[in-house]
């Protein structure tokens, strides 16, 4: 179901009001004071976060952001504050950035913080959005959707709960027993809660899930408020790293963005790269396309590419040295039936126009400034990125934390008492650290710890068309092939796709294929260009059988039975991987880096739990075990196959 944004409405006294729920967003008397008294004071903040490395708050109902702004201000003003503050907030009906800007003018004491929040505010799409604020020291994780269902998708260990939804009479699901069970699942040891709600149903539900409750003096007209403490003695599920030192193998777009996120979290990172500079392998193309990939059923790849697209756009805005252009991407329909499907998909998903629009043939022709027979998807925020420049900028962003070493070939990994050693072929120790992240692309399966990895290499060749030989192109266009506006005098077009092909030299036959596909995409665009006159580039892209990235802790061994689950798989301590991006390295890199580092740190995760599991490296071992059981049951008559991977 498409996200339904909130409407900004006011009572006669100027208090923000929701007609849908028949309730106000905050007290008519002293909104900031109410936030400080009920939610900060009720959770004994700022005292409880002082001198902590990490503190996690979860709020049910972001509303106008009042509680968040009050918390941010209090955290900033506290000299003994925690090193990093995570604030998770769930909102079924979020406001637009423009409406937030209007409403937050009522609180001039938050003007600077409110302005920064509004500048980072994401498009209103269902799912999880991660905002890196205050120099990466405050992380706001917004979950857009119904808390009664979205809470089950959150993966975090929460220290304090702000229960600030509309009243139980207006929104009973938010205060129901199943919702309170979801809160308890997320609670860290000694977690606290605070709420203005005193309804008996809410108190009974919270007490039933092991919260000890007490009443405290309320605020203004509310005589009392409710606070609670989680009494369960469960062990700490998200321990902090004992030492923040890591080795990252590979300085392509996967390794560079992982190193960037580790450094932002305070890690000392050694990056080992066999090439003489970052971004020389599959990340070495002159330019690549950045856009999401919608589907009518909003499947996993669609959810991941949308989240990845938004995360990459956010990262690019923080790295001014990256060469990129948000010129827009036009994804043309293959035929009239596909055009109808594209139009229907946009209507069904209900995504905001800044993410995707349907452009009919007339509008598409105007966007491209040439006649077209069909329309297609228009991604106004998409564009092109030079991946090697992203690699360089990411590694250069934290020079005091990242040591990138080039022209070194890692031959093997050795587990030692202190963690891991990266060894050269002659046995020389190139680096040693408690944590190793494998981001070596197609080279990963050569290491014994990754011999099980069902990753294949796909050869892709792009063609460099001299800009003077083709009509001017102002946007990225894609159909059977893609074409990117001129970069350094060349229009990049492609790309071919072939398995079991390790030829690294570009081939005229592949240039011919690119030209043929480009002619089907833009008739006449490359007329007169001889394939043998073209130069280009070949890249070997690491692909997974299910077209999804491979991100997470590395399994130690195959599961004992087909009934094993991901959480019960033994893992190699300190060994992680971020692999299998295929042709979507630009789109997925920032999000996958955030996911990996969040898992290493034990932080709240930037993706829903089902997507995290879908990316876990252990999924392939579980599938192998289940397939083996099936083959035994079927007397071995169930051979497997590798599905061709493409958009």
């Amino acid at each position: 179901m498409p996200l339904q944004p909130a409407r900004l409405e006011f009572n006669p006294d100027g208090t923000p009001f929701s007609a849908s729920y028949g309730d106000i967003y905050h007290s008519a008397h002293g909104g900031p004071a109410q936030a400080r008294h009920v939610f900060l004071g009720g959770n004994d903040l700022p005292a409880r976060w002082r001198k902590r490395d990490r503190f996690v708050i979860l709020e049910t109902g972001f509303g106008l952001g009042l509680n968040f702004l009050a918390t941010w201000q209090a955290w900033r003003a506290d000299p003994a504050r925690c090193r990093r503050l995570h604030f998770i907030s769930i909102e079924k009906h979020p406001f637009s950035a423009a409406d937030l800007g209007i409403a937050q003018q009522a609180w001039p004491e938050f003007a600077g913080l409110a302005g920064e929040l509004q500048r980072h505010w994401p498009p209103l799409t269902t799912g999880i959005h991660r905002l890196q604020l205050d120099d990466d020291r405050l992380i706001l994780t917004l979950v857009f959707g119904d808390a009664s269902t979205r809470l089950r998708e959150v993966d975090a260990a929460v220290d304090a709960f702000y229960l600030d939804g509309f009243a139980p009479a207006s929104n009973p699901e938010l205060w129901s027993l199943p919702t309170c069970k979801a809160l308890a699942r997320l609670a860290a040891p000694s977690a606290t809660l605070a709420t203005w709600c005193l309804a008996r149903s809410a108190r009974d539900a919270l007490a039933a899930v092991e919260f000890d409750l007490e009443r405290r003096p309320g605020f203004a007209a509310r005589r009392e408020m409710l606070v609670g403490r989680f009494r369960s003695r469960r062990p700490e599920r998200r321990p902090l790293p004992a030492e923040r030192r890591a080795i990252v193998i590979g300085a392509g777009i996967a390794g560079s963005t992982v190193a960037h996120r580790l450094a932002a979290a305070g890690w000392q990172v050694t990056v080992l790269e066999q090439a003489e500079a970052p971004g020389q392998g599959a990340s070495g193309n002159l330019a690549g396309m950045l856009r999401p990939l919608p589907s009518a059923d909003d499947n996993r790849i669609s959810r991941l590419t949308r989240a990845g697209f938004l995360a990459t756009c956010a990262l690019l805005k923080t790295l001014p040295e990256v060469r990129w252009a948000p010129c827009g991407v036009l994804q043309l329909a293959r035929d009239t039936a596909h055009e109808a499907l594209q139009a229907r998909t946009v209507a069904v998903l209900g995504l905001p126009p800044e993410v995707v629009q349907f452009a009919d043939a007339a509008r598409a022709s105007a966007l491209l400034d040439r006649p077209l027979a069909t329309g297609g998807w228009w991604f106004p925020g998409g564009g092109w990125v030079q991946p090697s420049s992203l690699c360089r900028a990411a590694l250069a962003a934290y020079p005091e934390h990242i040591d990138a070493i080039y022209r070194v070939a890692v031959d093997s990994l050795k587990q030692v008492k202190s963690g891991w050693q990266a060894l050269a072929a002659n046995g020389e120790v190139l680096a040693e650290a408690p944590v190793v992240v494998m981001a070596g692309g197609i080279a990963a399966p050569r290491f014994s710890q990754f011999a099980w990895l069902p990753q294949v290499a796909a050869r892709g060749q792009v063609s460099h068309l001299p800009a003077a030989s083709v009509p001017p192109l102002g946007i990225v266009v894609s159909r059977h092939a893609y074409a990117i506006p001129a970069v350094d005098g060349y229009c990049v077009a492609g790309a071919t796709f072939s398995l079991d092909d390790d030829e690294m030299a570009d081939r005229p036959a592949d240039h011919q294929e690119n030209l043929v596909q480009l002619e089907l995409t833009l008739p006449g665009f490359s007329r007169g260009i001889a394939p043998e006159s073209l130069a280009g580039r070949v890249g070997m892209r690491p692909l997974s059988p299910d077209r999804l990235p491979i991100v997470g802790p590395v399994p130690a061994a195959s599961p004992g039975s087909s009934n094993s689950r991901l959480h019960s798989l033994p893992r190699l301590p300190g060994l992680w991987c971020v692999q299998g991006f295929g042709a979507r390295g630009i789109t997925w890199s920032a999000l996958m880096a955030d996911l990996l580092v969040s898992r290493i740190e034990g932080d709240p995760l930037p993706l829903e739990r089902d997507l995290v599991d879908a990316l876990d490296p252990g999924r392939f071992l579980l599938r192998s075990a289940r397939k083996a059981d099936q083959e035994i049951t079927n007397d071995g008559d169930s051979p497997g196959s590798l599905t061709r991977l493409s958009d």
Side-chain angles (χ1 to χ4, degrees):
M1 178 179 291
L3 197 66
Q4 297 296 322
R7 291 176 53 196
L8 186 59
E9 302 168 283
F10 296 93
N11 272 339
D13 63 1
T15 305
F17 175 81
S18 171
S20 299
Y21 288 92
D23 203 352
I24 59 175
Y25 280 94
H26 62 76
S27 169
H29 307 288
Q34 173 186 263
R36 296 184 186 104
H37 179 88
V38 176
F39 297 105
L40 278 90
N43 282 285
D44 300 324
L45 300 175
R48 289 182 57 234
W49 69 41
R50 285 179 178 152
K51 298 182 180 180
R52 294 272 297 269
D53 189 275
R54 173 183 68 217
F55 196 85
V56 180
I57 297 170
L58 185 144
E59 174 186 48
T60 55
F62 188 82
L64 293 167
L66 174 59
N67 296 333
F68 171 70
L69 292 172
T71 302
W72 189 0
Q73 185 187 67
W75 175 81
R76 256 194 174 185
D78 185 0
R81 61 183 175 266
C82 53
R83 186 179 70 91
R84 290 186 114 192
L85 177 65
H86 284 267
F87 195 105
I88 307 166
S89 191
I90 304 175
E91 179 54 62
K92 184 176 182 180
H93 301 296
F95 285 98
S96 67
D99 281 349
L100 284 180
I102 294 170
Q104 290 171 353
Q105 290 176 6
W107 312 312
E109 63 198 280
F110 300 139
L113 301 181
E116 186 173 350
L117 173 64
Q118 293 155 27
R119 287 190 294 273
H120 285 81
W121 195 249
L124 302 187
T125 64
T126 300
I128 297 179
H129 302 265
R130 177 67 62 85
L131 280 62
Q132 313 283 350
L133 303 169
D134 221 317
D135 296 325
D136 272 319
R137 297 175 300 166
L138 188 147
I139 295 90
L140 172 60
T141 301
L142 293 166
V143 186
F144 288 163
D146 191 338
S148 63
T149 56
R150 293 291 173 181
L151 272 170
R152 295 194 291 270
E153 300 172 352
V154 173
D155 196 323
V158 177
D159 299 296
F161 294 94
Y162 293 3
L163 304 186
D164 192 25
F166 291 117
S170 304
N171 192 13
E173 292 83 5
L174 188 61
W175 305 93
S176 66
L177 181 59
T179 300
C180 291
K181 286 181 178 179
L183 295 174
R185 176 185 64 82
L186 297 170
S190 300
T192 60
L193 67 81
T195 179
W196 47 262
C197 177
L198 292 169
R200 179 62 181 267
S201 59
R203 286 186 284 125
D204 288 348
L206 289 168
V209 296
E210 299 190 85
F211 280 98
D212 291 326
L213 305 173
E214 66 171 295
R215 297 174 185 245
R216 286 188 187 175
F219 178 82
R222 295 181 184 272
R223 294 176 53 192
E224 293 182 312
M225 54 180 274
L226 193 68
V227 300
R229 184 174 294 272
F230 192 55
R231 65 175 174 268
S232 174
R233 299 301 180 186
R234 67 166 61 135
E236 177 61 65
R237 296 168 296 159
R238 299 292 186 90
L240 292 161
E243 188 178 2
R244 289 187 169 93
R245 286 190 304 112
I247 300 166
V248 175
I249 299 176
I253 200 164
S256 298
T257 49
V258 165
H260 177 270
R261 293 312 312 153
L262 283 168
W267 287 64
Q268 294 299 133
V269 186
T270 300
V271 179
L272 301 177
E273 169 58 52
Q274 62 181 352
E276 58 186 23
Q280 299 300 296
S283 302
N285 282 354
L286 185 59
M289 181 168 48
L290 172 63
R291 54 133 172 86
L293 187 66
S295 65
D297 61 351
D298 206 25
N299 58 40
R300 285 175 175 170
I301 288 181
S302 296
R303 291 162 61 198
L304 280 169
T305 58
R306 181 171 66 245
F309 165 74
L310 295 173
T312 296
C313 289
L315 174 62
L316 291 170
K317 292 173 183 176
T318 71
L319 298 172
E321 300 83 5
V322 180
R323 298 187 65 191
W324 74 295
C327 56
V329 176
L330 181 62
Q331 181 79 39
L332 292 170
R334 295 185 296 271
D335 49 40
T336 54
H338 188 221
E339 182 180 31
L341 175 61
Q342 286 184 316
R344 187 164 62 252
T345 297
V346 171
V348 167
L349 294 179
L351 296 172
E354 60 265 39
V355 175
V356 63
Q357 306 168 22
F358 176 74
D360 61 19
R363 186 171 176 225
S365 299
L367 287 167
L368 200 55
D369 197 23
R370 61 185 295 122
L372 297 168
T374 62
W377 286 323
W378 169 238
F379 306 105
W384 62 264
V385 179
Q386 186 178 77
S388 61
S389 73
L390 174 53
C391 296
R392 291 192 299 271
L395 293 174
Y398 296 95
E400 71 281 9
H401 285 283
I402 299 176
D403 180 21
I405 305 173
Y406 302 104
R407 294 183 289 275
V408 292
V410 181
D411 181 72
S412 62
L413 296 173
K414 181 181 179 181
Q415 191 173 13
V416 295
K417 186 176 181 180
S418 60
W420 292 89
Q421 292 177 340
L423 305 177
N426 63 4
E428 176 190 359
V429 177
L430 300 172
E432 184 172 336
V435 168
V436 168
V437 178
M438 172 57 68
I442 63 170
R446 301 174 194 166
F447 293 78
S448 61
Q449 295 86 357
F450 296 90
W452 55 270
L453 191 65
Q455 179 180 273
V456 297
R459 182 185 185 277
Q461 180 173 317
V462 296
S463 301
H464 294 168
L465 281 58
S469 302
V470 296
L473 193 62
I475 62 174
V476 178
V477 62
S478 177
R479 183 190 270 149
H480 301 282
Y482 64 79
I484 292 174
V487 180
D488 294 340
Y490 293 97
C491 172
V492 179
T496 61
F497 177 98
S498 56
L499 298 172
D500 299 321
D501 185 350
D502 58 4
E503 174 61 57
M504 293 304 298
D506 61 320
R507 300 187 294 233
D510 285 25
H511 289 312
Q512 175 65 31
E513 180 181 343
N514 283 336
L515 291 174
V516 169
Q517 297 301 319
L518 189 57
E519 177 67 19
L520 293 172
T521 300
L522 295 175
F525 182 78
S526 57
R527 185 173 295 132
I529 297 178
E532 59 272 12
S533 70
L534 294 176
R537 192 178 186 282
V538 173
M540 305 299 292
R541 300 170 294 190
L543 301 169
S544 70
D546 56 12
R547 298 192 295 166
L548 296 175
I550 306 167
V551 181
V554 176
S558 295
S561 77
S562 60
N563 293 323
S564 297
R565 297 292 183 266
L566 280 173
H567 72 272
S568 63
L569 278 182
R571 309 283 177 154
L572 289 168
L575 187 59
W576 302 76
C577 74
V578 54
Q579 290 283 136
F581 286 5
R584 300 193 180 103
I586 293 172
T587 302
W588 277 338
S589 57
L591 179 64
M592 295 302 107
D594 191 7
L595 171 62
L596 186 83
V597 174
S598 295
R599 294 195 71 176
I600 292 173
E601 278 274 300
D603 286 342
L605 300 187
L607 278 174
E608 296 89 338
R609 295 170 71 197
D610 69 311
L611 293 180
V612 174
D613 288 348
L615 305 177
D616 193 295
R619 70 190 190 266
F620 298 112
L621 296 183
L622 294 182
R623 290 172 192 171
S624 294
R626 290 162 188 161
K627 179 183 174 184
D629 276 4
Q630 182 182 11
E631 289 178 347
I632 292 172
T633 302
N634 296 335
D635 296 324
D637 291 331
S638 301
S641 64
L642 175 69
T643 303
R644 176 183 170 88
L645 307 175
S646 66
D647 283 348

